Amino acid sequence: MMSGKTLAEGQLNKMRITPVSGADVQYHLELGDSAVCMNDLLGKQLQLQWAGSINCTHCGRATKKSFSQGYCYPCFTRLAQCDSCMMSPEKCHFAAGTCREPEWAEQVCFSDHIVYLANSSGLKVGITRHTQVPTRWLDQGAAQALPIARVRNRRLSGLVEDLLRQQVADKTNWRALLKGNAVLLDLEAERDKLFAQFAQPLAALEQQEGPGSVELLNNAAVVDFSYPVSEYPSKISSHNLDKNPLVSGRLQGLKGQYLILDSGVINLRKFTSYQVSLAVMD
């Protein structure tokens, strides 16, 4: 029977990922008062165990089920950050006077947003607050990313994305992401093609929203990322803490918010707010 050393325990949050120039990005898993450098655990036999409890990431109350990655049901139905318009910002209903939290929206949704192209498992278009660059790209496991527009608010970023996804996917193929390195793309050329194809509707959108509301970033540079993966799985199988509270395996890599183990992969973000412990086995 294997014995192990507990490295940390507490409420699970997404891993903190830090880009490093010319090297693999750095991963830290924060549990309780500890921050564990996951890069140092590559090749180690790990054990992740759920204690059986979940506490809402917003209010802290105990909940039997996690909604929208870490919220209890009352917070899920009350908070603006859990509203459907966060996933579909072009459907923003602030102007209709029905926003769940207008003050929160004024701080978050009415700040500059970036529309970008990324290559995680192929070309995709996405949006994020300007303060979440490059965090959003790292969370998605992007090998390459390129900001292509800066807009005045979240709703407007959704409208631009809605235009461009007529031509480009807006989802990551997570299975392809975890099977190997993405084939490198010429993101600048892809940007230029999209700008040419959608020049008229993009100009019309800026005219509708006001001068300077849509700033096309013609000269932005592509950002590249490398992830600490020693071995990719030939077949993808997923661990689920709800079905099996004990996950163990040798750590083969870290990409996006996934742990790649020789026993399967686990998306840690899916289990935000679960009370877990992390141990390294002898």
Side-chain angles (χ1 to χ4, degrees):
M1 184 175 180
M2 297 181 70
S3 60
K5 175 185 177 183
T6 299
L7 300 178
E9 54 188 356
Q11 185 164 303
L12 183 63
N13 294 293
K14 71 173 188 172
M15 291 182 285
R16 174 164 49 87
I17 314 174
T18 307
V20 180
S21 179
D24 291 338
V25 300
Q26 287 286 317
Y27 279 83
H28 285 85
L29 179 60
E30 298 175 348
L31 290 173
D33 296 326
S34 301
V36 180
C37 179
M38 299 300 293
N39 297 58
D40 293 343
L41 300 180
L42 282 172
K44 304 286 188 181
Q45 189 76 16
L46 302 184
Q47 182 172 285
L48 191 71
Q49 184 159 17
W50 177 36
S53 58
I54 307 171
N55 293 87
C56 176
T57 192
H58 181 76
C59 72
R61 81 176 74 192
T63 176
K64 292 183 178 180
K65 182 179 178 181
S66 168
F67 296 85
S68 191
Q69 298 178 342
Y71 297 89
C72 64
Y73 188 71
C75 285
F76 171 69
T77 58
R78 177 177 59 82
L79 296 175
Q81 58 198 291
C82 297
D83 204 348
S84 60
C85 53
M86 293 304 291
M87 292 298 294
S88 302
E90 70 277 9
K91 298 178 182 178
C92 171
H93 48 96
F94 186 93
T98 54
C99 180
R100 291 178 177 182
E101 297 177 280
E103 291 184 2
W104 182 89
E106 286 172 355
Q107 293 181 350
V108 175
C109 300
F110 287 89
S111 62
D112 283 2
H113 278 61
I114 298 295
V115 183
Y116 62 86
L117 295 178
N119 178 18
S120 298
S121 58
L123 185 66
K124 75 176 289 288
V125 62
I127 64 173
T128 190
R129 272 182 291 158
H130 71 99
T131 56
Q132 291 301 299
V133 171
T135 301
R136 179 65 172 164
W137 305 334
L138 293 166
D139 283 347
Q140 294 179 339
Q144 301 169 281
L146 175 67
I148 63 171
R150 188 180 184 109
V151 301
R152 281 183 180 168
N153 56 59
R154 187 172 182 82
R155 170 183 163 274
L156 189 48
S157 72
L159 292 172
V160 174
E161 182 187 41
D162 198 40
L163 276 175
L164 302 184
R165 66 184 173 197
Q166 296 175 40
Q167 189 65 33
V168 180
D170 64 343
K171 297 288 190 297
T172 296
N173 182 331
W174 67 272
R175 291 183 179 275
L177 170 74
L178 299 174
K179 276 196 169 183
N181 292 318
V183 176
L184 296 183
L185 302 172
D186 188 340
L187 295 187
E188 293 172 337
E190 297 292 346
R191 171 200 62 200
D192 294 345
K193 285 193 294 185
L194 290 170
F195 282 176
Q197 182 176 354
F198 293 97
Q200 186 173 345
L202 286 170
L205 191 57
E206 182 183 12
Q207 184 176 18
Q208 173 186 313
E209 299 294 325
S213 57
V214 179
E215 178 190 358
L216 300 183
L217 305 177
N218 293 287
N219 299 313
V222 176
V223 183
D224 301 304
F225 303 106
S226 175
Y227 296 86
V229 180
S230 61
E231 185 178 347
Y232 284 102
S234 57
K235 183 179 179 181
I236 303 293
S237 59
S238 297
H239 290 293
N240 187 333
L241 292 178
D242 293 319
K243 295 180 178 179
N244 185 352
L246 181 62
V247 171
S248 61
R250 182 174 61 86
L251 183 63
Q252 295 179 307
L254 301 133
K255 198 170 188 184
Q257 286 294 326
Y258 285 88
L259 300 185
I260 302 174
L261 305 168
D262 62 0
S263 60
V265 303
I266 181 167
N267 179 4
L268 293 189
R269 191 162 193 174
K270 179 179 178 181
F271 302 103
T272 298
S273 296
Y274 284 51
Q275 297 291 329
V276 303
S277 62
L278 175 69
V280 60
M281 311 307 291
D282 299 327

